[in-house]
Amino acid sequence: LIRYRRRRTVPGFNVTEISVLNQIKSNLQDRYPTGFPILKELLQNADDSRAGTVCCDFQPGWPDARNPLLRGGGLLVINDGEFTEEDQRGITSFGESGKTTDTGTIGKFGFGQKSVFHLCDAFIICSEGTRALYASVVNPFFGVKVDGNVTGTWDKVDDDDLALLSSAADCAGIGNKRLILWLPFRRSSLRPAPDAGFSNEFPDGQRLLAQFSQPAAIRATLACLRRLRTVELRRGGEVELSLSVDARAGRLLGPDQWREGVREFHGAL
């Protein structure tokens, strides 16, 4: 007769770095297409953060930067939304978001934010003038045991590198309160390790700008959001496309603004 000792609690799952990487890869393949859907996710996250403006600037990078993530081309994303400590946890976690205590958000910094990994294998985030000042590298490959892993050199962003991002963000004219994302385009000289990464595709900034530059689709996205009013696409700081919601237009109400009673929906689309 074999007697088993009964556990009073069920042990938690052992989540490894490799399992997180594989899950992100799976989501990129199955749930989040590349191209314009990436912009939609960025706009949705900005709206959830109560931003009024989003600027996406295709930049050539800074060859003399200390952090390798900054030395080549990429996408600089700036918005004027809020960034809280809860958002910090959401953007550096997998499968979590900052929406859990906010019924007025779709799910900021959750699965959708990870769609940017179509473009890069790590990215830089910093907030300025917000309640939660923050600067970090979101680096899923850090600490992963694979031969030739160089991502340890990506993990530090010093004041000089942050100044480069801040100076470039000034072109957007958004103001002092802003959230900055730097998405460094994947390239042959910027891989976590030989033959490693979320994709073997090397994004082309010109092609991605063309995929983003869909005025009708951006207007439709803005119409479905509640706070975001202006979207700008830039290249090297110069405006390529700018769209804004008419200040007189009404906006959709979120769950946090609904009142009791009957609501009617009508009008031309």
Side-chain angles (χ1 to χ4, degrees):
L1 178 63
I2 300 176
R3 297 184 181 274
Y4 293 94
R5 295 183 62 186
R6 296 182 180 274
R7 298 181 64 99
R8 295 191 177 185
T9 58
V10 177
F13 289 106
N14 181 21
V15 180
T16 66
E17 291 91 346
I18 292 296
S19 67
V20 171
L21 296 180
N22 288 336
Q23 193 67 20
I24 292 176
K25 285 184 179 181
S26 177
N27 276 275
L28 293 176
Q29 293 172 359
D30 301 336
R31 298 180 60 178
Y32 295 102
T34 190
F36 186 80
I38 298 173
L39 177 60
K40 287 178 64 177
E41 293 293 343
L42 292 170
L43 299 184
Q44 177 181 299
N45 279 329
D47 189 71
D48 284 342
S49 298
R50 295 172 170 79
T53 301
V54 170
C55 174
C56 295
D57 192 355
F58 291 79
Q59 287 277 348
W62 301 268
D64 296 328
R66 295 181 181 179
N67 191 306
L69 298 177
L70 292 164
R71 295 176 191 160
L75 179 61
L76 185 69
V77 184
I78 314 110
N79 72 58
D80 58 354
E82 293 289 342
F83 190 72
T84 66
E85 292 182 1
E86 189 173 20
D87 296 332
Q88 293 179 21
R89 292 189 294 271
I91 205 166
T92 57
S93 301
F94 181 74
E96 299 180 17
S97 74
K99 72 177 180 179
T100 51
T101 58
D102 188 350
T103 58
T105 65
I106 301 170
K108 55 184 174 179
F109 306 128
F111 281 115
Q113 176 65 35
K114 309 310 187 281
S115 66
V116 301
F117 288 123
H118 276 298
L119 309 179
C120 58
D121 296 310
F123 62 89
I124 298 172
I125 178 171
C126 61
S127 64
E128 299 178 343
T130 61
R131 288 177 292 177
L133 296 178
Y134 184 72
S136 182
V137 178
V138 179
N139 182 3
F141 287 89
F142 181 77
V144 174
K145 295 180 180 179
V146 59
D147 290 342
N149 189 340
V150 299
T151 58
T153 65
W154 299 355
D155 217 46
K156 182 179 179 181
V157 186
D158 63 18
D159 290 343
D160 290 339
D161 284 347
L162 290 175
L164 294 174
L165 292 174
S166 185
S167 178
D170 286 341
C171 294
I174 284 180
N176 294 326
K177 189 190 79 169
R178 57 198 182 188
L179 180 68
I180 302 171
L181 297 177
W182 173 249
L183 311 176
F185 293 150
R186 186 180 298 106
R187 56 188 187 273
S188 58
S189 60
L190 190 69
R191 303 297 301 268
D195 299 320
F198 289 119
S199 171
N200 290 320
E201 297 292 328
F202 298 153
D204 176 81
Q206 185 64 31
R207 180 182 178 188
L208 189 63
L209 175 58
Q211 292 173 334
F212 279 15
S213 299
Q214 300 185 42
I218 294 174
R219 290 189 183 101
T221 302
L222 282 171
C224 295
L225 301 177
R226 289 172 280 129
R227 304 176 184 90
L228 192 63
R229 292 195 170 275
T230 300
V231 176
E232 283 190 352
L233 301 181
R234 295 175 177 246
R235 180 168 51 183
E238 299 296 323
V239 176
E240 296 282 331
L241 177 66
S242 181
L243 294 172
S244 296
V245 176
D246 191 318
R248 298 166 296 178
R251 304 304 298 270
L252 295 175
L253 295 178
D256 57 337
Q257 296 174 299
W258 287 352
R259 299 183 180 91
E260 293 184 359
V262 177
R263 288 175 292 277
E264 297 182 355
F265 300 88
H266 58 86
L269 293 178

